Amino acid sequence: MADDTLDQIREKFSHDRFATEACGCRVDEARAGHAVCSLDLTPKHINEKGVPMGGAIFTLADFAIAVASNLGRVPTFSVSCSIEFLSVAKGHRLIATADVDRAGHTLGFYTAVVTDELGTLVAKMTSVGYGR
């Protein structure tokens, strides 16, 4: 899967239906250990305060980490993750950039940074994935 085209990667991850169909996440860039995913904010992503819901931000960050951690490796499953919400998005599009911090024999450590298209730092997620 390390040599898959972006279209092939998008097809594979389209089966993550909650992220892709329910939330609208898409893969913009991907290779082993790295992914950029995004979603266009719509009324379904907005909470009662009129700002993007934390669950939508979490889903995008988690999806980006899933893409980064499952290319060029054995299937990897998240065993723990933590997110810090840093600012309210000011734009209309969220972008999550995920990178591997360390990929060991069975555990991988990943970080995803979520911004909007204006460059506002919205959230940071760290995750530990297990694969064998």
Side-chain angles (χ1 to χ4, degrees):
M1 184 161 20
D3 295 326
D4 286 350
T5 67
L6 186 55
D7 285 338
Q8 290 169 318
I9 293 167
R10 286 177 175 151
E11 168 59 27
K12 174 184 174 48
F13 287 96
S14 72
H15 299 284
D16 188 340
R17 290 186 173 90
F18 180 77
T20 59
E21 293 177 13
C23 289
C25 298
R26 64 187 167 272
V27 179
D28 297 328
E29 178 183 320
R31 64 180 180 275
H34 173 80
V36 178
C37 299
S38 63
L39 71 81
D40 294 323
L41 293 170
T42 66
K44 72 180 176 186
H45 300 110
I46 306 303
N47 67 18
E48 86 288 351
K49 293 177 181 67
V51 298
M53 184 175 180
I57 297 165
F58 183 99
T59 298
L60 176 63
D62 185 57
F63 182 65
I65 288 173
V67 174
S69 66
N70 280 286
L71 294 176
R73 288 182 51 93
V74 297
T76 302
F77 304 93
S78 179
V79 294
S80 124
C81 60
S82 174
I83 191 166
E84 289 81 36
F85 298 101
L86 304 169
S87 182
V88 173
K90 295 172 179 44
H92 301 288
R93 182 171 178 247
L94 294 178
I95 302 132
T97 303
D99 288 291
V100 62
D101 297 317
R102 182 177 186 282
H105 182 66
T106 56
L107 294 178
F109 299 85
Y110 296 85
T111 300
V113 174
V114 180
T115 63
D116 63 18
E117 82 279 11
L118 303 174
T120 307
L121 182 58
V122 175
K124 179 179 177 183
M125 175 185 275
T126 56
S127 180
V128 178
Y130 174 78
R132 59 178 172 125

